[in-house]
Amino acid sequence: MNPWIHLDTAQIPGGGELKLMQRGQDYSIMSGTIELMNSRLYGSEVALFKLAWAKAAHCQAPRILIGGLGMGFTLRAALADLPKDAKVVVAELVPEVIAWARGHLAPLYGDSLADPRARIVQGDVADRLAEAKPPYDLILMDVDNGPDGLNRDANDSLYSLHGLTNLKRATKPGGVVAIWSAAHDDKFARRFAHAGFTVTEHKVGAAPSGKGPKHVIWVGVAG
C-alpha cells in the first residue's frame, strides 16, 4: 500500500494544527493523530445539506450559510440542488483550507468555487452569524468535530446555549439549522431544543453508500 504523503500544514487561529495528506487519489485532513475528514468518506457531509434542505425546499431565493469549508462536499451538494437564485456563503476560519480548495484539492471541487451563487469568506462563522441581516433560510454547521470540539476552545461557544441562541437570531422563523457531529450528545440535543428549535436527530453513514462509521446530524427548525 502506498504511504500517506504530507502535502501541507495549517495553523488554526487560536491554537491547533491541521495537516493535509495524500495517498494516491485519496486525501485526508488530520488534527494530530485524529482524521477529521477523508475524501472517500463524505456521505454525512452531503447528508448535512440534504436533510436540512428537505425541510426548507419551499424557500424562495434561499440564503444559505455554511460554517466550515472542509473538502467542499457540503457546498457541492448544495449547489447541485439549490435553485438558480440561491445565495451561499461559506465561512472558513483557516486560510490554508481555502488555498487547498483551489490547489491540492481542486479535483474534489470541480467548478463549484466558480459558481456565481457561492461566495467563500475567510473568517469565523460566529462573525457571519452576528451580522446576519437579513437572517438566513438555512444554516449548515460543520465546525471542528461537532459540539465536542477538538481543535479550538472558541468553537465550544458556538454550541453553548448562548451560541445556539445566536444561531436562532440568525435564522428566519421557520428556517433550518443543521449541525454535524462525530458522535451523539444528549446534553447538546437538549440545548438545541431549548434555544427555540424543533429538533430531529439523524444517524448517517460516513461513506457515500450510507455504510461505515456513523455520524450524527441534528436538524432544527426555528420556531
Side-chain angles (χ1 to χ4, degrees):
M1 183 177 291
N2 294 331
W4 284 99
I5 299 170
H6 179 197
L7 298 177
D8 199 11
T9 298
Q11 300 302 316
I12 302 171
E17 184 178 87
L18 299 177
K19 291 183 179 180
L20 179 63
M21 311 293 290
Q22 180 179 11
R23 183 171 65 191
Q25 296 185 8
D26 298 332
Y27 297 90
S28 175
I29 294 178
M30 306 285 295
S31 173
T33 60
I34 298 173
E35 183 175 69
L36 295 179
M37 58 197 79
N38 185 296
S39 59
R40 292 189 301 145
L41 299 174
Y42 56 86
S44 58
E45 283 82 359
V46 171
L48 179 67
F49 169 75
K50 297 279 190 180
L51 290 167
W53 184 237
K55 293 183 179 293
H58 61 279
C59 295
Q60 301 296 315
R63 296 179 67 248
I64 296 94
L65 173 64
I66 300 176
L69 179 59
M71 290 185 172
F73 291 112
T74 301
L75 174 62
R76 285 187 63 181
L79 294 175
D81 287 359
L82 288 170
K84 293 181 179 180
D85 57 0
K87 297 295 182 184
V88 182
V89 175
V90 183
E92 172 53 52
L93 181 67
V94 183
E96 288 87 350
V97 171
I98 299 174
W100 296 344
R102 297 187 171 118
H104 295 296
L105 300 182
L108 303 181
Y109 280 81
D111 58 359
S112 60
L113 296 181
D115 193 302
R117 295 171 294 173
R119 181 164 63 98
I120 312 300
V121 177
Q122 192 273 310
D124 196 328
V125 67
D127 295 334
R128 305 279 76 75
L129 294 171
E131 300 165 0
K133 296 179 181 179
Y136 292 95
D137 297 287
L138 198 64
I139 298 176
L140 310 175
M141 296 290 286
D142 188 359
V143 176
D144 206 327
N145 217 34
D148 187 16
L150 291 172
N151 295 313
R152 187 169 177 260
D153 290 341
N155 289 334
D156 292 340
S157 65
L158 289 170
Y159 300 119
S160 67
L161 182 58
H162 176 72
L164 292 168
T165 301
N166 288 338
L167 266 172
K168 176 73 159 41
R169 291 196 195 100
T171 310
K172 289 183 178 178
V176 180
V177 172
I179 297 173
W180 185 98
S181 178
H184 174 73
D185 187 328
D186 277 329
K187 291 182 179 179
F188 171 76
R190 289 195 292 271
R191 285 201 306 274
F192 196 5
H194 187 64
F197 293 89
T198 300
V199 178
T200 55
E201 181 178 315
H202 306 265
K203 291 184 179 180
V204 296
S209 65
K211 297 181 180 180
K214 298 297 181 184
H215 297 151
V216 173
I217 293 171
W218 289 283
V219 179
V221 179

